[in-house]
Amino acid sequence: MKKNVLKVALASVIVLTTVAFTTNNLEKKEVDVKNSEVTWRGEKVTGFHTGTVELKEAHFIVEDGELKGGEFIMDMKSINVTDLKGENKGKLEGHLKSDDFFGVETYPTAKLVITSAAKKSDGTYGVVADLTIKEDTHPVTFDLEWNENSASTDLTIDRSKYNVRYGSGSFFDNLGDKTIYDNFELEVDLKF
């Protein structure tokens, strides 16, 4: 008798678990990384520089048409400077890839993982994510504009939290006009 009750209870759990997973409409929405763009802008006392960094892989998690999560891997070796040409472009790209900044030989990727997303209005989500650069992970928040085949956002990142402190007035004195501001901007346009 006890064995039969146990078998029925176990069968009920299996059926309920199966129903729960099969009625869950989770979808992995792959981002078209070749047609998506991540643009950066870093400022210093005497001006600014702009450039791009490529996505290596990226996807969103969607449930019943609503954004629930996602993961984005940036290829830090692809850092590109777009406002300079020739030797100056090469020097700045090399410096940004060096250990003074992002240390791409040791840390070839950076990662952003969406931990929660809440719909604020039609087409806009408030997002909380964990951003990892140089193995340091910190939460970031931003609004994401969501459309049927695209998404976009602007993020402000404090590089000093990720041990990217070269030229930072927060850590070094008497830098004068050599000071590079801690915050840099990312403009993200994703296609899927």
Side-chain angles (χ1 to χ4, degrees), residues 75-144:
D75 178 2
M76 299 305 285
K77 290 184 174 187
S78 73
I79 292 172
N80 179 38
V81 174
T82 57
D83 66 308
L84 297 174
K85 293 183 179 177
E87 186 178 334
N88 289 334
K89 172 183 169 67
K91 281 183 180 177
L92 181 54
E93 287 175 354
H95 198 196
L96 291 172
K97 293 175 184 180
S98 77
D99 290 338
D100 281 346
F101 284 93
F102 296 102
V104 302
E105 290 304 317
T106 306
Y107 310 102
T109 60
K111 179 166 67 170
L112 182 128
V113 177
I114 296 174
T115 56
S116 68
K119 198 168 200 175
K120 294 175 86 171
S121 64
D122 265 356
T124 303
Y125 285 88
V127 174
V128 178
D130 286 333
L131 177 62
T132 303
I133 299 173
K134 294 176 78 172
E135 295 184 3
D136 285 322
T137 303
H138 297 280
V140 293
T141 59
F142 54 91
D143 285 347
L144 181 75

Side-chain angles (χ1 to χ4, degrees), residues 40-43 102 133 155-159 181-186:
W40 58 264
R41 177 184 168 111
E43 294 188 16
F102 296 102
I133 299 173
L155 290 92
T156 299
I157 309 297
D158 180 349
R159 67 186 175 97
Y181 298 124
D182 289 340
N183 288 343
F184 67 92
E185 309 293 325
L186 292 178

Side-chain angles (χ1 to χ4, degrees), residues 6 12 15 17 19 39 41-42 45 51 68 92-93 106 139 147 154 160 168 176 178 182 187:
L6 187 57
S12 297
V15 168
T17 304
V19 168
T39 305
R41 177 184 168 111
V45 171
K68 295 296 178 186
L92 181 54
E93 287 175 354
T106 306
N147 298 300
D154 295 325
S160 67
S168 169
K178 303 264 189 236
D182 289 340
E187 184 178 306

